[in-house]
Amino acid sequence: MTSAATGPESGARAAHPDHLGHVIFITAAAAMGGFLFGYDSSVINGAVEAIRDRYDIGSGTLAQVIAIALIGCAIGAATAGRIADRIGRIRCMQIASVLFTASAIGSALPFALWDLAMWRVIGGFAIGMASVIGPAYIAEVSPPAYRGRLGSFQQAAIVIGIAVSQLVNYAVLQIADGDQRGEILGLEAWQWMLGVMVVPAILYGLLSFAIPESPRFLISVGKKAEARKILEEVEGNKIDLDARVAEIETAMHREHKSSFKDLLGNRFFFLPIVWVGIGLSMFQQLVGINVAFYYSATLWQSVGIDPTDSFFYSFTTSIINIIGTVIAMVLVDRVGRRPLALVGSVGMALALAVEAWAFSADLIDGKLPATQGVVALIAAHTFVLFFALSWGVVVWVFLGEMFPNRLRAAALGVAVFAQWMANWAITASFPSLADWNLSGTYIIYACFAVLSIPFVLKFVKETKGKTLEEMG
């Protein structure tokens, strides 16, 4: 997918204040894909134990059902760019909306375990599409002066989606008297948890009809008049629109449609910059962040916390996630991407190490000792806070900015594919690792957080304040 608008030559100045509100609306509408990304990824947290009980499956099979959606995510991410370059960004959003809707209905009304898994793969494909289309579209319609903050909308939407899913799960559980398999209007509680996603899925589709196509895509298919009109909407009429269109067209002529072959280097298979993108994507997942959102209710129940309380703690974690994301949105264009990543790595490493210590305690009557229980809760929330104010946001911003124009589409697809595969590895392995040694599992995550520090220091370059064309 050809990426964002060109830099601050002639026309690419900050948006005129009269148009900024419109740009924010467009960005927020596109970020609904991120909301569904977060919602669909996290809502399964409320259904884990019910699915285990209903289908009488062990930890290994359960993990595959939970994680199989991530295979769909990886495929969706790998193909979304090509689809968007052929039919446009808006059509891609509409396809994703249909897939999200189908997944919500199918997951809520499964015939058996196999079709529940199938619907989760379909939802995963939609998530993968949204994870690529959202950041790229937002970058393409955002004025450079606001691009970092507007680019953060994607992660903000993701964390809000996570929080709303936990709130919905908590509310449904209350209606079902604390029983995940309790009946509500003929369906079990966990089915309602999964089915509610149909509402934001349809809203996403409706919003896609209210926002314009990317100017860069329109220019790529020869619709310059439409592109000119949209540029006026998002950048104001005080710029030379003809010059602005010419700038984008010239930049697009200089570049070619990136392909997998463009990413190959003389050594180590990929070019170094591609490996940096892959590394950022993988470290974001290898610290174990999605364990906090896929398995948190199960995790807290395993150390003796009441099921209803465990859902409440999952929701409070999501609120902390939102707070951290807001902090990152405020700071990402002020202090830069790289400093935030380093601060986050240090904070996550410390919090994960403390959490590992707390979980190393022997259970008393199936519960952690009081001190370790409190410490575990505080450390878990601290970990999520440091992730949210750093890697949760800056990785998406980096991936939208760091690649040269000639590589951006293919490189972004490979990096996001790697991210989903790392996510799958962590998600699929956690139940078995937790059965083996919960404390040891968190030590592994802490080690990855520590390793991310020298990785950023040595390989990651700051992109703050640079135009997309300056990336090479």
Side-chain angles (χ1 to χ4, degrees):
M1 182 166 40
T2 313
S3 194
T6 53
E9 313 91 346
S10 73
R13 304 295 178 192
H16 188 279
D18 292 344
H19 295 77
L20 185 57
H22 182 57
V23 175
I24 290 173
F25 169 76
I26 292 171
T27 303
M32 269 299 296
F35 177 92
L36 284 158
F37 171 170
Y39 189 100
D40 195 26
S41 297
S42 181
V43 71
I44 194 68
N45 182 27
V48 171
E49 291 307 309
I51 291 171
R52 186 201 299 266
D53 183 62
R54 174 162 174 167
Y55 297 106
D56 192 24
I57 52 178
S59 294
T61 303
L62 177 67
Q64 294 308 316
V65 173
I66 303 305
I68 198 169
L70 301 172
I71 303 299
C73 293
I75 297 170
T79 58
R82 285 282 164 257
I83 296 171
D85 275 344
R86 285 185 175 273
I87 66 174
R89 285 57 164 150
I90 300 301
R91 286 282 179 267
C92 256
M93 294 180 193
Q94 290 163 356
I95 290 171
S97 168
V98 171
L99 295 176
F100 275 124
T101 302
S103 174
I105 295 171
S107 298
L109 303 170
F111 297 106
L113 191 64
W114 68 266
D115 76 302
L116 174 61
M118 179 191 73
W119 291 115
R120 285 191 50 72
V121 171
I122 291 172
F125 191 91
I127 294 173
M129 291 182 71
S131 71
V132 171
I133 298 301
Y137 174 85
I138 291 169
E140 289 179 355
V141 299
S142 297
Y146 297 96
R147 198 177 61 231
R149 278 163 284 183
L150 292 175
S152 300
F153 273 44
Q154 174 79 356
Q155 181 64 18
I158 292 170
V159 299
I160 292 171
I162 291 170
V164 170
S165 75
Q166 302 298 342
L167 186 60
V168 167
N169 286 352
Y170 182 70
V172 170
L173 195 66
Q174 294 299 309
I175 296 171
D177 296 323
D179 183 2
Q180 291 180 30
R181 297 199 59 191
E183 188 172 306
I184 304 172
L185 300 178
L187 296 177
E188 294 183 5
W190 69 274
Q191 294 176 275
W192 282 103
M193 293 175 185
L194 301 183
V196 168
M197 189 180 71
V198 73
V199 176
I202 292 174
L203 179 60
Y204 181 41
L206 294 175
L207 285 172
S208 72
F209 288 99
I211 60 178
E213 183 54 87
S214 158
R216 282 179 68 88
F217 171 74
L218 291 172
I219 291 171
S220 75
V221 295
K223 297 181 179 180
K224 296 182 186 178
E226 290 183 41
R228 188 180 185 279
K229 181 180 178 182
I230 292 166
L231 285 168
E232 183 176 5
E233 289 180 17
V234 299
E235 297 193 11
N237 57 13
K238 292 187 178 181
I239 64 170
D240 185 337
L241 293 171
D242 291 329
R244 187 74 182 90
V245 170
E247 281 175 2
I248 295 174
E249 193 170 26
T250 299
M252 292 177 70
H253 284 158
R254 286 201 306 264
E255 61 191 65
H256 65 283
K257 297 286 186 182
S258 57
S259 67
F260 188 81
K261 290 191 298 184
D262 297 318
L263 308 183
L264 303 181
N266 295 326
R267 301 171 61 193
F268 307 117
F269 194 71
F270 286 126
L271 293 169
I273 188 65
V274 179
W275 280 117
V276 174
I278 291 171
L280 284 167
S281 290
M282 293 187 69
F283 272 119
Q284 187 196 52
Q285 298 301 316
L286 293 175
V287 295
I289 185 60
N290 280 312
V291 167
F293 299 115
Y294 295 158
Y295 295 114
S296 59
T298 297
L299 175 64
W300 295 123
Q301 289 173 47
S302 73
V303 293
I305 290 176
D306 176 82
T308 302
D309 288 342
S310 73
F311 276 74
F312 175 73
Y313 292 138
S314 296
F315 176 65
T316 59
T317 302
S318 298
I319 298 301
I320 294 294
N321 197 15
I322 293 173
I323 293 170
T325 301
V326 170
I327 293 171
M329 291 175 69
V330 171
L331 297 179
V332 67
D333 281 329
R334 296 183 181 180
V335 304
R337 291 72 161 136
R338 201 164 172 263
L340 281 181
L342 291 169
V343 168
S345 292
V346 172
M348 289 189 297
L350 293 173
L352 287 165
V354 171
E355 208 166 348
W357 170 81
F359 286 135
S360 69
D362 293 329
L363 300 183
I364 301 174
D365 295 327
K367 296 183 179 182
L368 283 175
T371 300
Q372 281 86 347
V374 172
V375 169
L377 279 172
I378 294 172
H381 285 72
T382 302
F383 164 62
V384 171
L385 176 65
F386 274 100
F387 175 86
L389 64 80
S390 60
W391 285 75
V393 167
V394 299
V395 168
W396 290 111
V397 176
F398 268 130
L399 293 180
E401 295 178 335
M402 66 185 289
F403 301 116
N405 279 335
R406 60 189 169 79
L407 305 177
R408 188 168 294 119
L412 186 59
V414 167
V416 176
F417 178 84
Q419 184 178 119
W420 286 117
M421 293 310 295
N423 190 340
W424 172 82
I426 293 297
T427 305
S429 64
F430 177 75
S432 296
L433 285 173
D435 287 347
W436 160 68
N437 189 316
L438 186 57
S439 177
T441 303
Y442 275 83
I443 290 173
I444 293 171
Y445 301 154
C447 288
F448 281 119
V450 170
L451 289 172
S452 71
I453 298 171
F455 175 80
V456 171
L457 289 172
K458 184 170 179 61
F459 299 112
V460 179
K461 295 180 180 179
E462 182 60 75
T463 58
K464 172 191 170 187
K466 295 182 180 180
T467 69
L468 294 177
E469 276 60 48
E470 288 175 328
M471 306 303 171

